[in-house]
Amino acid sequence: GGNCAQWAGIYQSDALSMGLNNGKKPTTQPLTVSDTQYDLRDSFFTSPYPHPSYIILDENLVVTSKSVGPCCGYVSYYDCTDDVALGLDETLTKEIYAVYDRQIDALVAVEETTTTTT
């Protein structure tokens, strides 16, 4: 559980304690959406609804990746070590950059086509 403000606070403090973001408290962070009616959860995931769950959407809001956080299944949030939790940063970074790279490749292809046809 927890609301968006609580998760944002945890994200900021964890980033500092784990040495992420060059030791600075993050001022921007991943989009966290309140889903108190479970509409998004029910649309993107199936029972038994692992928590926390993550999706990566592209610019067309198409799901490019779904995953469950590495700490899913731990009895307590604090049972999950920083080393285990850092696996999430690696996973999400890889998946987000895959979307970015595909977008850049598409832009380059359009620019090359435009240049050769003019």
Side-chain angles (χ1 to χ4, degrees):
N3 63 37
C4 293
Q6 289 169 316
W7 284 111
I10 290 169
Y11 173 82
Q12 288 180 318
S13 65
D14 282 356
L16 287 174
S17 69
M18 292 183 201
L20 302 174
N21 202 41
N22 296 320
K24 297 177 187 158
K25 184 176 180 179
T27 56
T28 61
Q29 52 193 298
L31 181 61
T32 304
V33 179
S34 178
D35 188 27
T36 56
Q37 301 300 315
Y38 304 110
D39 295 323
L40 295 172
R41 180 203 69 182
D42 293 349
S43 294
F44 292 115
F45 297 95
T46 57
S47 182
Y49 306 113
H51 180 77
S53 302
Y54 300 87
I55 59 168
I56 306 296
L57 302 171
D58 69 7
E59 69 277 12
N60 298 309
L61 301 181
V62 172
V63 175
T64 62
S65 175
K66 286 191 210 183
S67 64
V68 175
C71 297
C72 181
Y74 283 80
V75 174
S76 166
Y77 171 82
Y78 298 101
D79 290 339
C80 183
T81 66
D82 289 354
D83 287 338
V84 172
L86 283 170
L88 177 62
D89 182 65
E90 293 170 19
T91 298
L92 293 179
T93 298
K94 182 182 121 210
E95 296 299 336
I96 290 168
Y97 274 98
V99 173
Y100 288 160
D101 291 343
R102 185 185 50 74
Q103 292 170 337
I104 295 296
D105 290 346
L107 286 172
V108 168
V110 167
E111 286 178 8
E112 289 174 351
T113 301
T114 303
T115 302
T116 57
T117 58
T118 54

